[in-house]
Amino acid sequence: DGPVVAILVAQIDASLLLQYYAVNPSLGLAPLPAKTLTLQRPAGALITVSASIAVGRFNTVAYDQMLIAVTDFLRTDLLSVDTDANALPVQRLRAVSDSSPLVYGLLRAGRFDWSSPFDSVAYLVTYENYDSRITSGRLLSVLTLDANLAVGAQTASLSFTGAQCIYDMQVGN
């Protein structure tokens, strides 16, 4: 259908909408409403406090797919979105990724393995604990997605300290 912009909208009831807007170069690049997909989160999800979207070609080279990290006060959920045979968005994955208090999950897609035709995802998890019995931390790993857009492999997480606040991450070659 051409270029699109996807916006993730969190609802007060903890549900999520992925709203698509078509961008038509012949109409002066003005975005126009296109499609909306209601995303399902695993049971027990709370109101979203942060979210991150990675777009890449995770198990096909024909079109882009999405991996979404949605964080509430107790955990980060990973959701994946693909395109069906009718070029409509469809949710594939719904999984709890991390269950640490006050987590923040950040995703960025990149081609880390040049022998593979597919992208992988850098996944940064930050968890802050204001309870002195629990340690705060930051973990960085790389995810690959399988044919069903589920996490197929995850590298060992690299734990690092010294960073008080992490706001963003970018990947490149």
Side-chain angles (χ1 to χ4, degrees):
D1 288 337
V4 297
V5 174
I7 298 175
L8 186 64
V9 178
Q11 306 291 314
I12 194 72
D13 65 357
S15 65
L16 299 168
L17 300 176
L18 193 57
Q19 296 178 331
Y20 289 85
Y21 296 85
V23 179
N24 187 335
S26 64
L27 298 177
L29 299 178
L32 301 170
K35 303 169 185 148
T36 298
L37 175 65
T38 300
L39 297 173
Q40 302 299 316
R41 292 182 64 192
L46 301 175
I47 295 172
T48 301
V49 293
S50 70
S52 181
I53 301 174
V55 175
R57 297 186 177 201
F58 304 122
N59 68 13
T60 181
V61 295
Y63 55 88
D64 290 337
Q65 299 158 309
M66 283 187 222
L67 184 64
I68 303 168
V70 181
T71 302
D72 58 30
F73 290 103
L74 298 176
R75 67 185 196 202
T76 298
D77 298 333
L78 293 177
L79 315 172
S80 64
V81 177
D82 201 357
T83 303
D84 69 11
N86 298 316
L88 296 173
V90 60
Q91 183 173 346
R92 295 280 185 227
L93 169 71
R94 184 175 68 201
V96 176
S97 166
D98 194 312
S99 296
S100 301
L102 296 174
V103 293
Y104 173 74
L106 189 60
L107 304 171
R108 294 294 180 260
R111 188 130 170 239
F112 298 104
D113 179 359
W114 284 99
S115 66
S116 170
F118 305 126
D119 294 324
S120 299
V121 178
Y123 180 39
L124 177 65
V125 176
T126 298
Y127 49 97
E128 300 297 337
N129 296 291
Y130 300 101
D131 181 336
S132 62
R133 296 169 292 167
I134 304 171
T135 305
S136 296
R138 288 101 178 103
L139 300 173
L140 175 64
S141 61
V142 175
L143 311 175
T144 58
L145 302 179
D146 66 16
N148 296 314
L149 284 183
V151 175
Q154 178 173 352
T155 63
S157 295
L158 170 67
S159 178
F160 59 97
T161 59
Q164 292 301 314
C165 296
I166 296 175
Y167 294 104
D168 203 357
M169 161 180 75
Q170 198 50 260
V171 300
N173 297 317

